[in-house]
Amino acid sequence: MRTDINEIIGKVLIDQDSVQKRIKQLASKVNEYYNDVDNDILLVGILRGSIMFMADLAKQLKINCKLDFMDVSSYGDEFESSGNVKILKDLDTDVRGLDVLIVEDIIDSGNTLAFLADSLKQRGAKSVKIITLLDKPERREKKISPDWTGFKIPNEFVVGYGMDYKQLYRNLPYIGVLKEQVYEDEA
Ligand code: IMP
Ligand code: MG
């Protein structure tokens, strides 16, 4: 059965055009920052939420970069991060001596990124920077501040542009707030 998207999305928080415009601005900051770095940069996308952001950002980058992905799980349930981060799929790249840029969809408690940034530094990355499309600073549990942020958003559960609820809605080209009714119905 196909669900009407208007019954799922309460409101569009960031429309498609605004997402794309902001990514161009972020890319120019990243291009500027790495301009004088001679070696290649490794972009590390965190699966699966960051795939849209990774693809659109990478297309705007003028630096030499390689792309790799990691899959981690930190959610105890659909909404709350557990603080207990597990690597489900590791990088194929050896990060020793590399300048790494972690590409994330959204920072919530900060548990995922605190773990990842630490782990990549421990493996000997030369530098570890973080770019996130969204940030929900109200919910922070770990002291982690991204180097570049697309949008700070209030404490609402969002879907679209890579982000899911129960693996659905990642394909929406905009970022929307899920109607509370959607998860209340299932509770
Ligand atoms: P953290 O470890 O609590 O910072 O959680 C970060 C991860 O939780 C993100 O990479 C997302 O995959 C997921 N997440 C956090 N907030 C949302 C949301 O509002 N919608 C969808 N996924 C979210
Ligand atoms: Mg994620």
Side-chain angles (χ1 to χ4, degrees):
M1 190 192 67
R2 192 166 301 181
T3 324
D4 179 358
I5 206 69
N6 296 316
E7 300 198 345
I8 299 293
I9 303 295
K11 67 172 181 235
V12 175
L13 193 63
I14 309 167
D15 64 34
Q16 186 173 3
D17 204 36
S18 307
V19 170
Q20 296 303 325
K21 277 194 186 126
R22 185 68 184 129
I23 291 174
K24 282 197 179 128
Q25 292 171 345
L26 291 173
S28 77
K29 290 182 194 184
V30 172
N31 282 327
E32 204 177 304
Y33 179 81
Y34 288 110
N35 193 33
D36 298 329
V37 176
D38 285 332
N39 44 287
D40 304 336
I41 312 298
L42 181 70
L43 302 187
V44 173
I46 310 308
L47 294 171
R48 284 163 242 179
S50 76
I51 55 161
M52 307 287 183
F53 181 39
M54 177 78 148
D56 286 339
L57 178 74
K59 282 182 275 184
Q60 303 285 333
L61 295 181
K62 309 217 177 338
I63 51 180
N64 282 346
C65 56
K66 295 180 179 173
L67 275 54
D68 203 345
F69 295 89
M70 270 179 106
D71 192 3
V72 292
S73 86
S74 83
Y75 263 23
D77 60 35
E78 282 93 12
F79 299 107
E80 294 289 330
S81 166
S82 66
N84 183 2
V85 185
K86 274 192 308 219
I87 297 181
L88 303 177
K89 183 228 171 274
D90 209 339
L91 293 173
D92 294 323
T93 315
D94 181 352
V95 298
R96 264 176 297 175
L98 295 184
D99 289 295
V100 174
L101 176 59
I102 302 177
V103 181
E104 179 62 304
D105 52 354
I106 182 164
I107 307 184
D108 192 22
S109 69
N111 285 322
T112 307
L113 276 178
F115 168 85
L116 279 173
D118 244 30
S119 145
L120 296 178
K121 277 177 207 154
Q122 267 176 27
R123 295 179 195 190
K126 188 162 108 197
S127 69
V128 178
K129 296 274 168 196
I130 295 168
I131 186 165
T132 186
L133 183 62
L134 304 180
D135 188 0
K136 284 197 243 183
E138 276 171 54
R139 302 241 311 166
R140 201 68 95 251
E141 288 169 20
K142 292 272 162 60
K143 204 167 162 278
I144 185 118
S145 39
D147 298 278
W148 298 279
T149 301
F151 303 90
K152 286 194 176 156
I153 63 163
N155 181 16
E156 287 181 297
F157 196 81
V158 292
V159 294
Y161 198 72
M163 285 162 285
D164 73 305
Y165 172 63
K166 296 197 169 173
Q167 298 306 326
L168 285 170
Y169 320 118
R170 294 190 195 274
N171 57 311
L172 298 176
Y174 55 84
I175 294 159
V177 178
L178 200 66
K179 280 189 179 167
E180 276 180 28
Q181 188 195 328
V182 176
Y183 40 87
E184 276 166 5
D185 282 354
E186 290 175 26

